[in-house]
Amino acid sequence: MNRLYLITGPAGVGKSTVCNILAKKLNKSVLIEGDDLYHMVKGGYVSPWKENNHLDLFWKNVINIIRNSLEAGYDVVFNYVIKNTDYLRLKNQFKDYEVIFRVLLANEDELLKRDKTRAFDCQMKERCLILLEEFKNEPFEDRFIIDSTDLRAEDTADRIMR
């Protein structure tokens, strides 16, 4: 049975790096970077945390791409800022597959340090800390959370695979 890996956490926590490593470790996999799909909209683009965003279109596209990939026999690694309600919707959509959900967190200093390693125009700065607080307030089950503060990306990917 194919697996769906849903990896989330605040901006700067290392989701993209970890997901890239994870996808490469799987025998047959598709890596879906949520940011790439969200940024497909050019005319009328609105940041996802602002009113009149295009999250409805985004989630329809995500669900279709995940479904197509799973049905084609691929494991799927999906990386995006996923709230608990999004997780529950995806879990319900893909109840015929094994869904592995992990929330990556790190302390504030580590988060800002990791954010600084991004290209300057991609740094989220204060937004990282805002998202960290939002994630801490989400009703995620403890078993989903990985504190990656002191972990290398490889180690985090290995934990997700276990």
Side-chain angles (χ1 to χ4, degrees), residues 44-56:
Y45 179 88
V46 176
S47 296
W49 58 88
K50 294 183 178 176
E51 281 188 46
N52 300 317
N53 60 41
H54 47 276
L55 279 169
D56 287 341

Side-chain angles (χ1 to χ4, degrees), residues 57-118:
L57 173 63
F58 166 80
W59 284 113
K60 286 178 186 176
N61 288 336
V62 165
I63 288 167
N64 284 323
I65 293 171
I66 290 172
R67 179 170 283 110
N68 292 342
S69 300
L70 289 169
E71 288 176 359
Y74 290 85
D75 288 326
V76 174
V77 179
F78 176 62
N79 153 22
Y80 194 64
V81 174
I82 302 169
K83 303 298 177 134
N84 196 57
T85 54
D86 302 321
Y87 159 65
L88 295 173
R89 174 177 22 170
L90 290 167
K91 181 181 170 189
N92 185 53
Q93 281 283 330
F94 299 103
K95 57 184 168 227
D96 295 334
Y97 296 92
E98 184 177 356
V99 177
I100 298 163
F101 179 61
R102 295 296 178 266
V103 180
L104 306 184
L105 298 177
N107 68 34
E108 290 182 7
D109 290 339
E110 183 65 20
L111 204 58
L112 291 174
K113 182 174 122 184
R114 291 177 187 177
D115 186 51
K116 286 181 183 176
T117 66
R118 297 174 171 208

